[in-house]
Coordinates of all heavy atoms in Angstrom, one line a residue:
Q1 N 0.8 -1.2 0.0 CA 0.0 0.0 0.0 C 0.9 1.2 0.0 O 1.8 1.4 0.8 CB -0.9 0.0 1.2 CG -1.7 1.2 1.3 CD -2.7 1.2 2.6 OE1 -2.8 0.1 3.2 NE2 -3.3 2.2 2.8
V2 N 0.6 2.2 -0.9 CA 1.3 3.4 -1.0 C 0.7 4.4 -0.1 O -0.5 4.7 -0.2 CB 1.4 4.0 -2.4 CG1 2.0 5.3 -2.5 CG2 2.0 2.9 -3.4
T3 N 1.5 5.0 0.8 CA 0.9 6.0 1.8 C 1.3 7.4 1.4 O 0.7 8.4 1.8 CB 1.4 5.8 3.2 OG1 2.8 5.7 3.2 CG2 0.9 4.4 3.7
S4 N 2.4 7.6 0.6 CA 2.8 8.9 0.1 C 3.6 8.7 -1.2 O 4.2 7.6 -1.4 CB 3.6 9.7 1.1 OG 4.8 9.1 1.3
I5 N 3.7 9.8 -2.0 CA 4.5 9.7 -3.2 C 5.1 11.1 -3.4 O 4.5 12.1 -3.1 CB 3.6 9.3 -4.4 CG1 4.5 9.1 -5.7 CG2 2.5 10.3 -4.7 CD1 3.7 8.5 -6.8
N6 N 6.4 11.1 -3.9 CA 7.1 12.3 -4.2 C 7.2 12.4 -5.7 O 7.7 11.4 -6.4 CB 8.5 12.3 -3.6 CG 8.5 12.5 -2.1 OD1 7.6 13.1 -1.6 ND2 9.5 11.9 -1.5
I7 N 6.8 13.4 -6.3 CA 6.8 13.6 -7.8 C 8.0 14.6 -8.0 O 8.1 15.7 -7.5 CB 5.5 14.2 -8.3 CG1 4.4 13.2 -8.1 CG2 5.7 14.5 -9.8 CD1 3.0 13.7 -8.5
I8 N 8.9 14.1 -8.9 CA 10.1 14.9 -9.2 C 10.0 15.2 -10.7 O 9.8 14.3 -11.5 CB 11.4 14.1 -8.9 CG1 11.4 13.9 -7.4 CG2 12.6 14.9 -9.4 CD1 12.6 12.9 -7.0
K9 N 10.2 16.5 -11.1 CA 10.3 16.9 -12.5 C 11.7 17.0 -12.9 O 12.5 17.6 -12.2 CB 9.6 18.2 -12.6 CG 9.6 18.7 -14.0 CD 9.1 20.1 -14.1 CE 9.4 20.7 -15.4 NZ 9.5 22.2 -15.4
S10 N 12.1 16.4 -14.0 CA 13.4 16.5 -14.5 C 13.4 16.6 -16.0 O 13.0 15.7 -16.7 CB 14.2 15.3 -14.1 OG 15.5 15.4 -14.6
T11 N 13.7 17.8 -16.5 CA 13.8 18.0 -17.9 C 15.0 18.8 -18.2 O 15.2 19.9 -17.6 CB 12.5 18.8 -18.4 OG1 11.4 18.1 -18.0 CG2 12.5 19.0 -19.9
I12 N 15.8 18.4 -19.2 CA 16.9 19.2 -19.6 C 16.8 19.3 -21.2 O 16.8 18.3 -21.9 CB 18.3 18.6 -19.2 CG1 18.4 18.5 -17.7 CG2 19.4 19.4 -19.9 CD1 19.6 17.8 -17.2
I13 N 16.7 20.5 -21.6 CA 16.6 20.8 -23.0 C 17.6 21.8 -23.4 O 17.8 22.8 -22.7 CB 15.2 21.3 -23.4 CG1 14.1 20.3 -23.0 CG2 15.1 21.7 -24.9 CD1 12.7 20.8 -23.2
K14 N 18.3 21.7 -24.5 CA 19.3 22.7 -24.9 C 18.6 23.6 -25.9 O 18.0 23.2 -26.9 CB 20.5 22.0 -25.7 CG 21.5 23.0 -26.1 CD 22.7 22.4 -26.7 CE 23.6 23.5 -27.1 NZ 24.7 23.1 -27.9
Y15 N 18.6 24.9 -25.5 CA 17.9 25.9 -26.3 C 19.0 26.6 -27.2 O 20.1 26.7 -26.9 CB 17.3 27.0 -25.4 CG 16.2 26.3 -24.5 CD1 16.5 25.9 -23.2 CD2 15.0 26.1 -25.0 CE1 15.5 25.3 -22.4 CE2 14.0 25.5 -24.3 CZ 14.3 25.1 -23.0 OH 13.3 24.5 -22.2
N16 N 18.5 27.0 -28.4 CA 19.4 27.5 -29.4 C 20.0 28.9 -29.1 O 21.2 29.1 -29.3 CB 18.7 27.6 -30.8 CG 18.4 26.3 -31.3 OD1 19.1 25.3 -31.0 ND2 17.4 26.2 -32.2
Y17 N 19.2 29.8 -28.5 CA 19.7 31.2 -28.4 C 19.9 31.6 -26.9 O 20.8 32.3 -26.6 CB 18.7 32.1 -29.0 CG 18.7 32.0 -30.5 CD1 17.7 31.3 -31.2 CD2 19.7 32.5 -31.3 CE1 17.7 31.1 -32.6 CE2 19.7 32.3 -32.7 CZ 18.7 31.7 -33.3 OH 18.7 31.5 -34.6
N18 N 19.0 31.2 -26.0 CA 19.2 31.7 -24.6 C 18.8 30.5 -23.7 O 17.9 29.7 -24.0 CB 18.3 32.9 -24.3 CG 16.8 32.7 -24.6 OD1 16.4 32.3 -25.7 ND2 16.0 33.1 -23.7
S19 N 19.5 30.4 -22.6 CA 19.2 29.4 -21.6 C 18.5 29.9 -20.4 O 18.1 29.1 -19.6 CB 20.5 28.7 -21.2 OG 21.4 29.6 -20.6
D20 N 18.3 31.2 -20.3 CA 17.6 31.8 -19.2 C 16.4 32.5 -19.7 O 16.4 33.1 -20.8 CB 18.5 32.8 -18.4 CG 19.7 32.2 -17.7 OD1 19.6 31.0 -17.4 OD2 20.7 32.9 -17.6
C21 N 15.3 32.6 -19.0 CA 14.2 33.4 -19.3 C 14.6 34.8 -18.9 O 14.8 35.1 -17.7 CB 13.0 33.0 -18.5 SG 11.5 34.0 -18.8
T22 N 14.7 35.7 -19.8 CA 15.2 37.1 -19.5 C 14.1 37.9 -18.8 O 14.3 39.0 -18.4 CB 15.7 37.8 -20.7 OG1 14.7 37.8 -21.7 CG2 16.9 37.1 -21.3
I23 N 12.9 37.4 -18.7 CA 11.8 38.1 -18.0 C 11.9 37.8 -16.5 O 11.8 38.8 -15.7 CB 10.4 37.7 -18.6 CG1 10.4 38.1 -20.1 CG2 9.3 38.3 -17.8 CD1 9.2 37.6 -20.9
C24 N 12.0 36.6 -16.1 CA 12.0 36.3 -14.7 C 13.4 36.0 -14.2 O 13.7 35.8 -13.0 CB 11.1 35.1 -14.3 SG 11.6 33.5 -14.8
A25 N 14.4 35.8 -15.1 CA 15.8 35.5 -14.9 C 16.1 34.1 -14.4 O 17.2 33.8 -14.0 CB 16.4 36.6 -13.9
N26 N 15.1 33.2 -14.4 CA 15.4 31.8 -14.0 C 15.8 31.1 -15.3 O 15.4 31.4 -16.4 CB 14.1 31.2 -13.4 CG 13.8 31.6 -12.0 OD1 14.6 32.3 -11.4 ND2 12.8 31.1 -11.5
E27 N 16.5 30.0 -15.1 CA 16.9 29.1 -16.2 C 15.6 28.5 -16.8 O 14.7 28.2 -16.1 CB 17.8 28.0 -15.7 CG 19.2 28.5 -15.3 CD 20.1 27.3 -15.0 OE1 19.9 26.2 -15.5 OE2 21.1 27.5 -14.3
L28 N 15.7 28.3 -18.1 CA 14.5 27.8 -18.8 C 14.2 26.3 -18.3 O 13.1 25.9 -18.4 CB 14.7 27.8 -20.3 CG 14.6 29.2 -20.9 CD1 15.1 29.2 -22.3 CD2 13.3 29.9 -20.7
N29 N 15.3 25.6 -17.9 CA 15.1 24.2 -17.4 C 14.5 24.2 -16.0 O 14.2 23.1 -15.5 CB 16.4 23.5 -17.4 CG 16.7 23.1 -18.9 OD1 15.9 22.8 -19.7 ND2 18.0 23.1 -19.2
D30 N 14.4 25.4 -15.3 CA 13.7 25.5 -14.0 C 12.4 26.1 -14.2 O 12.1 26.7 -15.3 CB 14.6 26.3 -13.1 CG 15.9 25.7 -12.7 OD1 16.0 24.5 -12.8 OD2 16.8 26.5 -12.4
D31 N 11.6 26.1 -13.2 CA 10.2 26.7 -13.3 C 10.4 28.2 -13.2 O 11.3 28.7 -12.5 CB 9.3 26.2 -12.2 CG 8.9 24.7 -12.4 OD1 8.7 24.4 -13.6 OD2 8.8 24.0 -11.5
S32 N 9.4 28.9 -13.7 CA 9.4 30.4 -13.6 C 9.1 30.8 -12.2 O 8.6 30.0 -11.4 CB 8.4 31.0 -14.6 OG 7.1 30.7 -14.0
I33 N 9.3 32.1 -11.9 CA 9.0 32.6 -10.6 C 7.5 32.5 -10.3 O 7.0 32.2 -9.2 CB 9.5 34.0 -10.3 CG1 8.9 35.0 -11.4 CG2 11.0 34.1 -10.4 CD1 9.2 36.4 -11.1
Y34 N 6.7 32.6 -11.4 CA 5.2 32.5 -11.2 C 4.8 31.0 -10.9 O 3.9 30.8 -10.1 CB 4.5 33.0 -12.5 CG 4.9 34.4 -12.9 CD1 5.7 34.6 -14.0 CD2 4.5 35.5 -12.2 CE1 6.1 35.9 -14.4 CE2 4.9 36.7 -12.5 CZ 5.7 36.9 -13.6 OH 6.0 38.2 -14.0
A35 N 5.4 30.1 -11.6 CA 5.1 28.7 -11.4 C 5.6 28.3 -10.0 O 4.9 27.5 -9.3 CB 5.8 27.8 -12.4
Q36 N 6.7 28.8 -9.5 CA 7.2 28.4 -8.2 C 6.2 29.0 -7.1 O 5.9 28.3 -6.2 CB 8.6 29.0 -7.9 CG 9.6 28.3 -8.8 CD 11.0 29.0 -8.7 OE1 11.2 30.0 -8.0 NE2 12.0 28.4 -9.3
D37 N 5.7 30.2 -7.3 CA 4.8 30.8 -6.4 C 3.4 30.1 -6.4 O 2.8 29.9 -5.4 CB 4.6 32.3 -6.7 CG 5.8 33.1 -6.2 OD1 6.6 32.6 -5.5 OD2 5.8 34.3 -6.7
G38 N 3.0 29.6 -7.7 CA 1.7 29.0 -7.8 C 1.8 27.5 -7.7 O 0.8 26.8 -7.9
N39 N 3.0 26.9 -7.5 CA 3.1 25.5 -7.3 C 2.7 24.7 -8.5 O 1.9 23.7 -8.4 CB 2.4 25.0 -6.0 CG 2.9 23.7 -5.5 OD1 4.1 23.3 -5.8 ND2 2.1 23.0 -4.8
Y40 N 3.1 25.1 -9.7 CA 2.9 24.3 -10.9 C 4.2 24.3 -11.7 O 5.1 25.0 -11.4 CB 1.7 24.9 -11.7 CG 1.8 26.3 -12.2 CD1 2.4 26.6 -13.4 CD2 1.4 27.4 -11.4 CE1 2.6 27.9 -13.8 CE2 1.5 28.7 -11.8 CZ 2.1 29.0 -13.0 OH 2.2 30.2 -13.4
F41 N 4.2 23.5 -12.8 CA 5.4 23.4 -13.7 C 5.3 24.4 -14.8 O 4.2 24.6 -15.4 CB 5.5 22.0 -14.2 CG 5.8 21.0 -13.1 CD1 4.9 19.9 -13.0 CD2 6.8 21.1 -12.2 CE1 5.2 18.9 -12.0 CE2 7.0 20.1 -11.2 CZ 6.2 19.0 -11.2
S42 N 6.4 24.9 -15.2 CA 6.4 25.9 -16.4 C 6.5 25.1 -17.7 O 7.1 24.0 -17.7 CB 7.6 26.8 -16.3 OG 7.5 27.7 -15.2
T43 N 6.0 25.7 -18.7 CA 6.2 25.3 -20.1 C 7.0 26.4 -20.8 O 7.1 27.5 -20.3 CB 4.9 25.0 -20.8 OG1 4.1 26.2 -20.8 CG2 4.1 23.8 -20.2
I44 N 7.5 26.1 -21.9 CA 8.4 27.0 -22.7 C 7.8 27.4 -24.0 O 7.2 26.6 -24.7 CB 9.8 26.4 -22.9 CG1 10.4 25.9 -21.6 CG2 10.7 27.3 -23.7 CD1 10.7 26.9 -20.6
S45 N 7.9 28.7 -24.3 CA 7.5 29.2 -25.6 C 8.7 29.8 -26.3 O 9.5 30.5 -25.7 CB 6.4 30.3 -25.5 OG 5.2 29.8 -25.0
T46 N 8.8 29.5 -27.6 CA 9.9 30.0 -28.5 C 9.3 30.8 -29.6 O 8.4 30.3 -30.3 CB 10.7 28.8 -29.0 OG1 11.3 28.1 -27.9 CG2 11.9 29.4 -29.8
G47 N 9.8 32.0 -29.8 CA 9.3 32.9 -30.8 C 9.8 32.6 -32.2 O 10.7 31.8 -32.3
E48 N 9.3 33.3 -33.2 CA 9.8 33.1 -34.5 C 11.3 33.5 -34.6 O 12.0 33.0 -35.5 CB 9.0 34.0 -35.5 CG 7.6 33.7 -35.6 CD 6.8 34.7 -36.5 OE1 7.4 35.4 -37.3 OE2 5.6 34.7 -36.4
C49 N 11.8 34.3 -33.7 CA 13.2 34.7 -33.7 C 14.1 33.7 -33.1 O 15.3 33.8 -33.2 CB 13.3 36.0 -32.9 SG 12.8 35.9 -31.2
G50 N 13.5 32.7 -32.4 CA 14.3 31.6 -31.8 C 14.6 31.8 -30.3 O 15.2 30.9 -29.7
H51 N 14.2 33.0 -29.7 CA 14.4 33.2 -28.3 C 13.3 32.5 -27.5 O 12.1 32.5 -28.0 CB 14.4 34.7 -28.0 CG 15.6 35.4 -28.5 ND1 15.6 36.4 -29.4 CD2 16.9 35.1 -28.2 CE1 16.8 36.8 -29.6 NE2 17.7 36.0 -28.9
S52 N 13.6 31.9 -26.4 CA 12.7 31.1 -25.6 C 12.4 31.8 -24.2 O 13.3 32.4 -23.7 CB 13.2 29.7 -25.4 OG 13.4 29.1 -26.6
Y53 N 11.2 31.6 -23.7 CA 10.8 32.1 -22.4 C 9.9 31.1 -21.8 O 9.2 30.3 -22.4 CB 10.1 33.4 -22.6 CG 10.9 34.5 -23.4 CD1 10.8 34.6 -24.7 CD2 11.7 35.3 -22.7 CE1 11.5 35.5 -25.4 CE2 12.5 36.2 -23.4 CZ 12.4 36.3 -24.8 OH 13.1 37.2 -25.4
H54 N 9.7 31.2 -20.4 CA 8.7 30.5 -19.8 C 7.4 31.0 -20.3 O 7.2 32.2 -20.5 CB 8.7 30.7 -18.3 CG 9.9 30.2 -17.6 ND1 10.8 31.0 -17.0 CD2 10.3 28.9 -17.4 CE1 11.8 30.3 -16.5 NE2 11.5 29.0 -16.7
N55 N 6.4 30.1 -20.6 CA 5.2 30.5 -21.2 C 4.4 31.5 -20.4 O 3.9 32.5 -20.9 CB 4.3 29.3 -21.5 CG 3.2 29.6 -22.4 OD1 3.3 30.1 -23.4 ND2 2.0 29.2 -22.0
D56 N 4.4 31.3 -19.1 CA 3.6 32.3 -18.2 C 4.3 33.6 -18.2 O 3.6 34.7 -18.0 CB 3.4 31.7 -16.8 CG 4.6 31.0 -16.2 OD1 5.5 30.7 -16.9 OD2 4.5 30.7 -15.0
C57 N 5.6 33.7 -18.3 CA 6.3 35.0 -18.4 C 6.0 35.8 -19.7 O 5.7 36.9 -19.7 CB 7.8 34.8 -18.2 SG 8.3 34.1 -16.6
I58 N 6.2 35.1 -20.8 CA 6.0 35.7 -22.1 C 4.5 36.1 -22.3 O 4.2 37.1 -23.0 CB 6.6 34.9 -23.3 CG1 6.8 35.8 -24.5 CG2 5.8 33.7 -23.5 CD1 7.8 36.9 -24.4
D59 N 3.6 35.3 -21.8 CA 2.2 35.6 -21.9 C 1.9 37.0 -21.3 O 1.2 37.8 -21.9 CB 1.3 34.6 -21.3 CG 1.1 33.4 -22.2 OD1 1.5 33.4 -23.4 OD2 0.5 32.4 -21.7
K60 N 2.4 37.2 -20.1 CA 2.3 38.5 -19.5 C 2.9 39.7 -20.3 O 2.3 40.7 -20.4 CB 2.8 38.5 -18.1 CG 2.1 37.6 -17.1 CD 2.7 37.6 -15.7 CE 2.1 36.6 -14.8 NZ 0.7 36.4 -14.8
W61 N 4.1 39.4 -20.8 CA 4.8 40.4 -21.6 C 4.0 40.7 -22.9 O 3.8 41.9 -23.3 CB 6.2 39.9 -22.0 CG 6.9 40.7 -23.0 CD1 6.9 40.5 -24.4 CD2 7.8 41.8 -22.8 NE1 7.7 41.4 -25.0 CE2 8.3 42.2 -24.0 CE3 8.1 42.5 -21.6 CZ2 9.1 43.3 -24.1 CZ3 9.0 43.6 -21.7 CH2 9.5 44.0 -23.0
L62 N 3.5 39.7 -23.6 CA 2.8 39.9 -24.9 C 1.4 40.6 -24.7 O 0.9 41.1 -25.7 CB 2.6 38.6 -25.6 CG 3.9 37.9 -26.1 CD1 3.6 36.5 -26.6 CD2 4.6 38.8 -27.1
K63 N 0.9 40.7 -23.5 CA -0.3 41.5 -23.3 C -0.1 43.0 -23.6 O -1.0 43.7 -24.0 CB -0.9 41.3 -21.9 CG -1.4 39.9 -21.7 CD -2.0 39.7 -20.4 CE -2.6 38.3 -20.3 NZ -3.1 38.0 -18.9
S64 N 1.1 43.5 -23.4 CA 1.4 44.9 -23.7 C 2.4 45.1 -24.8 O 2.7 46.3 -25.1 CB 1.8 45.6 -22.4 OG 2.9 45.0 -21.8
H65 N 3.1 44.1 -25.3 CA 4.1 44.2 -26.3 C 3.8 43.1 -27.3 O 3.3 42.1 -27.0 CB 5.5 43.9 -25.7 CG 5.8 44.8 -24.6 ND1 5.4 44.5 -23.3 CD2 6.5 46.0 -24.5 CE1 5.8 45.5 -22.5 NE2 6.5 46.3 -23.1
R66 N 4.3 43.3 -28.6 CA 4.1 42.3 -29.6 C 5.4 41.8 -30.1 O 5.5 41.1 -31.1 CB 3.3 42.9 -30.8 CG 1.9 43.3 -30.4 CD 1.2 43.7 -31.7 NE -0.2 44.1 -31.3 CZ -1.3 43.3 -31.5 NH1 -1.1 42.1 -32.1 NH2 -2.5 43.7 -31.2
M67 N 6.5 42.1 -29.4 CA 7.8 41.7 -29.9 C 8.6 41.0 -28.9 O 8.3 41.1 -27.7 CB 8.6 43.0 -30.4 CG 8.7 44.0 -29.4 SD 9.3 45.6 -30.1 CE 7.7 46.3 -30.6
C68 N 9.7 40.3 -29.3 CA 10.6 39.6 -28.4 C 11.3 40.6 -27.5 O 11.8 41.7 -28.0 CB 11.6 38.9 -29.2 SG 12.9 38.1 -28.3
P69 N 11.3 40.4 -26.2 CA 12.0 41.3 -25.3 C 13.5 41.4 -25.5 O 14.1 42.5 -25.2 CB 11.8 40.6 -23.9 CG 10.7 39.7 -24.0 CD 10.7 39.3 -25.5
L70 N 14.1 40.4 -26.2 CA 15.6 40.5 -26.4 C 15.9 41.2 -27.7 O 16.8 42.1 -27.8 CB 16.2 39.1 -26.4 CG 16.4 38.5 -25.1 CD1 16.8 37.0 -25.2 CD2 17.4 39.2 -24.3
C71 N 15.3 40.8 -28.8 CA 15.7 41.3 -30.1 C 14.7 42.2 -30.8 O 15.0 42.7 -31.9 CB 16.0 40.1 -31.0 SG 14.6 39.1 -31.5
K72 N 13.6 42.4 -30.2 CA 12.5 43.3 -30.7 C 11.9 42.8 -32.0 O 11.2 43.6 -32.7 CB 13.0 44.7 -30.8 CG 13.6 45.3 -29.6 CD 12.7 45.3 -28.4 CE 13.3 45.9 -27.2 NZ 12.8 45.4 -26.0
Q73 N 12.1 41.6 -32.4 CA 11.4 41.0 -33.6 C 10.1 40.5 -33.2 O 9.8 40.3 -32.0 CB 12.3 39.9 -34.2 CG 13.6 40.3 -34.8 CD 14.3 39.2 -35.5 OE1 13.7 38.2 -36.0 NE2 15.6 39.2 -35.5
K74 N 9.2 40.3 -34.2 CA 7.9 39.8 -33.9 C 8.0 38.4 -33.2 O 8.8 37.6 -33.6 CB 7.1 39.6 -35.2 CG 5.7 39.1 -35.1 CD 5.0 38.9 -36.4 CE 3.7 38.2 -36.2 NZ 3.0 37.9 -37.4
F75 N 7.3 38.3 -32.1 CA 7.3 37.0 -31.4 C 6.3 36.1 -31.9 O 6.5 34.9 -32.0 CB 7.1 37.3 -29.9 CG 7.4 36.1 -29.1 CD1 8.7 35.8 -28.7 CD2 6.4 35.2 -28.6 CE1 9.0 34.7 -28.0 CE2 6.7 34.1 -27.9 CZ 8.0 33.8 -27.5

């Protein structure tokens, strides 16, 4: 009989352009500051320019901007 379980998330992905989310400053292989506060796992979004961000970070950014925070190209 199982009385408790620990769930461990382990994902390592090599990103082409950046390895940190420049919005929250956490590594892309780690959860965003929002996910850590909300106790959920982050997903990653990559723009047409190739820069990657935590999905919850870039969603907040894209509500008031239409371009990549790093290179200013269309995201």
Side-chain angles (χ1 to χ4, degrees):
Q1 177 178 350
V2 176
T3 57
S4 68
I5 187 168
N6 290 328
I7 298 175
I8 298 171
K9 176 189 169 204
S10 178
T11 305
I12 296 175
I13 300 172
K14 183 176 179 190
Y15 298 98
N16 292 334
Y17 292 103
N18 57 309
S19 60
D20 295 332
C21 176
T22 56
I23 297 172
C24 76
N26 283 358
E27 289 186 24
L28 291 171
N29 285 324
D30 294 334
D31 291 323
S32 72
I33 57 172
Y34 305 108
Q36 290 173 357
D37 287 345
N39 200 25
Y40 60 90
F41 297 124
S42 293
T43 56
I44 305 300
S45 291
T46 301
E48 295 176 19
C49 60
H51 291 117
S52 300
Y53 303 91
H54 295 113
N55 194 49
D56 41 352
C57 295
I58 196 66
D59 279 351
K60 292 179 187 319
W61 171 267
L62 291 174
K63 287 182 181 179
S64 58
H65 307 83
R66 293 186 182 259
M67 58 193 85
C68 173
L70 283 173
C71 67
K72 306 299 184 212
Q73 292 184 32
K74 181 181 175 186
F75 192 78

